[in-house]
């Protein structure tokens, strides 16, 4: 399914980039020089950066799907919140983002709301088995990779344009995801008995994922990776609403407490305004870890 999403991204945004080419370079500036003149987080040029970004994103999606096979939905919901501290640390170290105390308080409050939600689920699911450690580890790895993916996407979008980022993500991601599907899941896909309902659900899923991927870079450019992942915590409450309205599940009052905490955390995070960026520190840290110098063209 991820392959179809990447393929759709490639078709739509490659077409967009082709129909909206950049202005011609100055006589003394070649197109290659202009492209490499934009300083990105990884000092290996835009093409390799796009490839690494796609590789990280594809593996994050692959691991989180695999995790559902070995552990519970509750565990995945809790552990994938590890993306939030990941993006906070990576934003601080590599992007030079400076978080104020209220930003940190907002993050802690929102994550506390998520913990309350999951703790309620755990208390309601006693006797249904213990989650597998292997599945939990897969979820943690996926959460970390999602954090890395968000940071790379924010950096590339700021320097090279979000449409170009999605076009290259779609191209590289379709190749990587398609290759993995052929190697690991070709027999399962071929042996599955597809019905009209299955095809319809797949189409809805792919379109929804495409829309999400199209909106993510805009949120990253406007508010950053931390705010994006804090807002994604609210997806857990949509899952609860689906369970109540469609699956006719019952919920306790603690879901309301968790919802209030999560939304309060988002509001607290926005009180001091957007976190500040210190470009100079980002350059020193990045090049000290990856090589090169801050005056080199990457």
């Amino acid at each position: 399914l991820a392959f179809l999403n990447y393929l759709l991204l490639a078709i739509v945004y490659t077409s967009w980039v082709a129909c909206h080419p950049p202005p011609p370079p100055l006589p003394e500036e070649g197109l290659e020089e202009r492209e490499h003149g934009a300083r990105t987080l990884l000092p290996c040029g835009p093409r390799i950066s796009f490839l690494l970004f796609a590789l990280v994103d594809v593996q994050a999606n692959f691991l989180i799907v695999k995790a559902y096979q070995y552990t519970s939905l509750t565990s995945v919901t809790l552990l994938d919140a590890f993306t939030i501290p990941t993006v906070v640390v990576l934003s601080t170290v590599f992007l030079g983002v400076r978080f104020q105390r209220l930003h940190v308080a907002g993050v802690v409050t929102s994550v506390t709301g998520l913990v309350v939600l999951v703790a309620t689920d755990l208390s309601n699911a006693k006797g249904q088995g213990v989650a597998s450690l292997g599945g939990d580890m897969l979820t943690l790895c996926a959460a970390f990779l999602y954090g890395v993916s968000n940071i790379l996407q924010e950096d590339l979008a700021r320097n090279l344009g979000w449409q170009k980022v999605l076009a290259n993500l779609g191209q590289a991601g379709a190749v990587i995801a398609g290759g993995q599907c052929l190697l690991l899941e070709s027999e399962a896909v071929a042996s599955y008995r597809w019905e009209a309902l299955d095809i319809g659900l797949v189409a809805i899923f792919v379109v929804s994922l495409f829309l999400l991927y199209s909106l993510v870079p805009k949120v990253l450019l406007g508010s950053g990776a931390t705010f994006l992942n804090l807002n994604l915590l609210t997806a857990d409450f949509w899952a609860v609403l689906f369970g109540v309205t469609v699956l006719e599940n019952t919920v306790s009052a603690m879901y309301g407490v968790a919802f209030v905490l999560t939304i309060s955390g988002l509001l607290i995070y926005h009180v001091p305004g957007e976190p500040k960026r210190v470009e100079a520190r980002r350059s020193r840290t990045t090049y000290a870890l990856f090589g090169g110098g801050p005056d080199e063209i990457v």
Side-chain angles (χ1 to χ4, degrees), residues 106-254:
V107 170
V108 172
T109 303
S110 289
V111 174
T112 300
L114 179 63
V115 172
V116 170
L117 173 64
V118 176
T120 302
D121 283 344
L122 283 173
S123 65
N124 293 335
K126 288 181 179 180
Q128 297 181 5
V130 179
S132 167
L133 178 61
D136 292 347
M137 293 301 102
L138 288 175
T139 305
L140 286 174
C141 291
F144 175 76
L145 290 178
Y146 277 127
V148 175
S149 174
N150 289 162
I151 295 302
L152 290 175
Q153 185 172 12
E154 180 179 349
D155 180 72
L156 290 169
R158 289 186 186 280
N159 288 282
L160 300 172
W162 66 271
Q163 297 93 341
K164 186 174 183 180
V165 171
L166 290 181
N168 283 271
L169 171 63
Q171 295 167 15
V175 173
I176 297 171
Q180 285 190 189
C181 181
L182 288 175
L183 290 175
L184 303 176
E185 301 175 358
S186 57
E187 293 184 3
V189 174
S191 61
Y192 187 80
R193 297 181 60 182
W194 293 94
E195 299 181 357
L197 178 61
D198 299 321
I199 297 175
L201 292 175
V202 168
I204 293 173
F205 174 79
V206 171
V207 171
S208 300
L209 197 58
F210 169 80
L211 294 175
L212 174 64
Y213 269 72
S214 298
L215 291 173
V216 162
K218 297 182 180 181
V219 178
L220 291 174
L221 291 174
S223 302
T226 303
F227 181 71
L228 167 68
N229 285 280
L230 285 175
N231 277 273
L232 288 179
L233 291 182
T234 58
D236 299 309
F237 297 99
W238 289 109
V240 172
L241 181 62
F242 178 83
V244 172
T245 57
V246 178
L247 303 180
E248 298 182 352
N249 295 333
T250 57
V251 298
S252 69
M254 294 306 295

Side-chain angles (χ1 to χ4, degrees), residues 80-134:
D80 69 3
F82 183 64
T83 300
I84 295 174
T86 299
V87 297
V88 169
V89 172
L90 294 179
S91 296
T92 302
V93 174
F94 295 110
L95 299 183
V97 176
R98 289 293 180 271
F99 295 97
Q100 300 181 28
R101 293 181 179 178
L102 280 178
H103 289 131
V104 177
V107 170
V108 172
T109 303
S110 289
V111 174
T112 300
L114 179 63
V115 172
V116 170
L117 173 64
V118 176
T120 302
D121 283 344
L122 283 173
S123 65
N124 293 335
K126 288 181 179 180
Q128 297 181 5
V130 179
S132 167
L133 178 61

